[in-house]
Amino acid sequence: MGNLILAVDDSRTIRASVKYTLEKAGYEVVLGCDGKEGLDKLNELKHQGKKPDMIISDINMPNMDGISFIKELKNKMEYKFIPVLVLTTESQHQKKMEGKKAGAAGWLVKPFKSQQLVDVVKKFVR
């Protein structure tokens, strides 16, 4: 298997699309449905001796939103340097700045084209 990506989104359709697209491109993908489950998945991976090479996160999610999720990640030394791509319907400059301030490395607005997602992931994961 290829590099490991954790994708967190509350939309089942988006999760399925991201998983299909990235697995087809050779990546291993683990899914979470919100920021809280994303943190749980990171703990599961840690117990398996794994760590994602990249994290993709939505912003608007129940339980724990994407900005809070990214802030949690960046406060943990073990995940601090993992690149985070925000994949969201939000395109406002203020939201992008909020994501960047939280620690996001990239921003991709939904809907996205499969190749567009793969190209962005390739920029961060080699």
Side-chain angles (χ1 to χ4, degrees), residues 39-125:
L39 292 174
D40 292 343
K41 293 293 180 179
L42 286 170
N43 280 330
E44 288 176 23
L45 291 169
K46 183 178 177 180
H47 289 297
Q48 297 170 16
K50 297 179 177 179
K51 186 165 75 172
D53 299 291
M54 184 174 186
I55 297 171
I56 299 172
S57 178
D58 189 10
I59 292 293
N60 299 314
M61 300 182 287
N63 300 318
M64 179 185 278
D65 66 70
I67 297 296
S68 299
F69 175 56
I70 295 168
K71 286 179 179 174
E72 281 282 325
L73 294 173
K74 298 304 176 182
N75 282 330
K76 297 178 187 264
M77 194 61 197
E78 59 198 308
Y79 305 124
K80 187 178 183 97
F81 298 106
I82 297 175
V84 178
L85 172 69
V86 173
L87 182 61
T88 182
T89 56
E90 300 282 352
S91 61
Q92 301 136 341
H93 180 72
Q94 181 182 353
K95 280 288 184 185
K96 288 180 182 178
M97 290 300 102
E98 192 177 344
K100 186 174 182 178
K101 186 176 176 183
W107 194 278
L108 186 60
V109 177
K110 300 175 195 170
F112 62 91
K113 293 183 176 171
S114 299
Q115 190 59 50
Q116 189 181 19
L117 178 62
V118 171
D119 289 346
V120 172
V121 169
K122 281 182 180 175
K123 285 183 182 176
F124 294 104
V125 179

